[in-house]
């Protein structure tokens, strides 16, 4: 950039660095295990991702029954269903997310609940 008032001029350079954002790993993360056992660590399972605009997060038991649904990153699963603690097991999840910029992604996987 060069600025001049007709008599004097000043010149400077600025480097602009851009990063490609991907609506997925590593910018979007779902832990593969959590332990809602009352010890104060890993008690609630959350979708991690600062650039999430909208989401639908569903967790299913091994028989295909939906045991949790969330539309906000701030709403996590505490390992209960209908007021009862779920057994230690592996649960499937489905995440449909829209990230900043309008990128959409569907991610499926599983989570291990430990007690």
């Amino acid at each position: 950039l060069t600025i001049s008032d007709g008599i004097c001029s000043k010149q400077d350079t600025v480097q602009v660095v851009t990063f490609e954002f991907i609506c997925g790993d590593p910018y979007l993360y779902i832990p593969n295990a959590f332990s809602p056992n009352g010890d104060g660590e890993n008690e609630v399972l959350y979708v991690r991702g600062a650039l999430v605009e909208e989401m639908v997060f569903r967790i299913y038991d091994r028989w295909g029954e939906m045991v949790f649904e969330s539309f906000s990153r701030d709403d996590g699963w505490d390992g209960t269903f209908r007021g009862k603690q779920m057994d230690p097991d592996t649960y499937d999840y489905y995440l449909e997310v829209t990230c900043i910029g309008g990128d959409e992604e569907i991610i499926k996987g599983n989570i291990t609940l430990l007690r």
Side-chain angles (χ1 to χ4, degrees), residues 43-103:
E43 298 294 320
V44 180
L45 177 77
Y46 294 102
V47 173
R48 311 282 183 183
L51 303 176
V52 173
E53 283 188 332
E54 297 177 13
M55 67 173 236
V56 176
F57 183 49
R58 295 183 178 121
I59 299 175
Y60 300 89
D61 65 15
R62 68 175 55 235
W63 297 276
E65 183 173 12
M66 185 171 58
V67 298
F68 178 75
E69 182 176 45
S70 173
F71 300 95
S72 168
R73 287 183 309 116
D74 299 325
D75 185 20
W77 187 39
D78 63 359
T80 63
F81 178 56
R82 296 183 180 155
K84 297 182 181 176
Q85 290 185 352
M86 299 298 289
D87 291 330
D89 205 345
T90 300
Y91 296 83
D92 294 323
Y93 70 82
Y94 169 89
L95 174 64
E96 184 176 336
V97 64
T98 302
C99 296
I100 292 175
D103 290 341

Side-chain angles (χ1 to χ4, degrees), residues 9-41:
S9 65
K10 183 69 175 171
Q11 184 175 347
D12 200 357
T13 303
V14 176
Q15 180 178 1
V16 177
V17 178
T18 60
F19 296 95
E20 180 183 7
F21 171 72
I22 300 169
C23 191
D25 192 34
Y27 300 101
L28 190 60
Y29 176 70
I30 301 154
N32 61 3
F34 76 118
S35 59
N37 57 9
D39 68 356
E41 294 184 25

